[in-house]
Amino acid sequence: MNEDEDLQLEQAARETAELEAEQIRADVEDAKTDPAVQEEWIRQSNLMYGGLAAAGLVVVQPFLTASPLDLTATICVVAFAVAIPLLAALLVLNRQEAFRRQVTRSVLVSVAKAAAEGSAFVGLTAAFWHISTIAGITFLAVGIFAVGVHSAGYSKLEYDGKFRSRFPRTKPPTS
């Protein structure tokens, strides 16, 4: 009898989890089409891309006159040679997205975002590593931890059913 009850409880828990997962998937899809969410994504992207490009320009500047470059300095310079033009292009694209009040769904843009952000992170890590191995390792570890912190906080704010239910979105009327 206990085994049957345990199986029923386990099945009920699984069904509840599946329903919650489906609700989160629906919320994600709704968020992708919500103009207010898209505008916030554009604002956050502008801040990130501008900050990374500025940091790259500042970090690379001392290496312009240094010769020859050691391995970490070379990695830093090459990484920012990739990142800075992509970040500039993404900043200009963000202006167009803001004007159109929607984000692009281009695969090429998604690849460029990943390449720009990844290259900037590699460049900053190499710059810290160039200064001090301990600083480079620390930056790398804390950077990875920071991504987890942001992901956990973002997920909790955006997809916690209790929070979202207090602020229901109104859907435009369909004809």
Side-chain angles (χ1 to χ4, degrees):
M1 186 78 168
N2 282 339
E3 289 180 22
D4 288 341
E5 290 174 356
D6 289 344
L7 277 173
Q8 288 176 345
L9 288 174
E10 186 177 314
Q11 181 64 26
R14 188 176 309 127
E15 289 173 3
T16 301
E18 287 174 3
L19 288 172
E20 288 176 4
E22 186 56 40
Q23 182 61 46
I24 289 172
R25 276 192 283 278
D27 285 347
V28 168
E29 289 305 313
D30 284 348
K32 286 181 183 178
T33 59
D34 186 345
V37 170
Q38 291 186 3
E39 285 181 39
E40 182 57 24
W41 286 346
I42 293 167
R43 279 192 296 272
Q44 289 177 11
S45 294
N46 277 335
L47 176 65
M48 182 174 50
Y49 300 149
L52 288 173
L57 291 171
V58 170
V59 167
V60 169
Q61 202 170 22
F63 298 127
L64 294 176
T65 56
S67 179
L69 297 177
D70 68 0
L71 180 61
T72 55
T74 302
I75 291 170
C76 174
V77 170
V78 170
F80 278 116
V82 171
I84 291 171
L86 288 174
L87 292 166
L90 291 168
L91 278 168
V92 173
L93 176 61
N94 274 1
R95 295 295 302 157
Q96 186 65 22
E97 288 176 331
F99 173 71
R100 293 290 177 199
R101 294 191 173 112
Q102 65 179 358
V103 294
T104 183
R105 298 189 195 290
S106 167
V107 173
L108 183 60
V109 172
S110 296
V111 169
K113 287 177 180 183
E117 294 167 16
S119 295
F121 184 72
V122 167
L124 286 170
T125 302
F128 278 108
W129 207 295
H130 178 75
I131 297 166
S132 160
T133 303
I134 294 171
I137 292 169
T138 302
F139 181 80
L140 180 64
V142 174
I144 292 168
F145 177 70
V147 170
V149 168
H150 176 268
S151 296
Y154 180 86
S155 297
K156 191 68 173 171
L157 283 173
E158 291 298 321
Y159 305 116
D160 179 19
K162 295 174 194 140
F163 176 81
R164 301 268 309 205
S165 66
R166 289 183 282 171
F167 304 98
R169 286 192 300 246
T170 56
K171 299 221 183 229
T174 57
S175 21

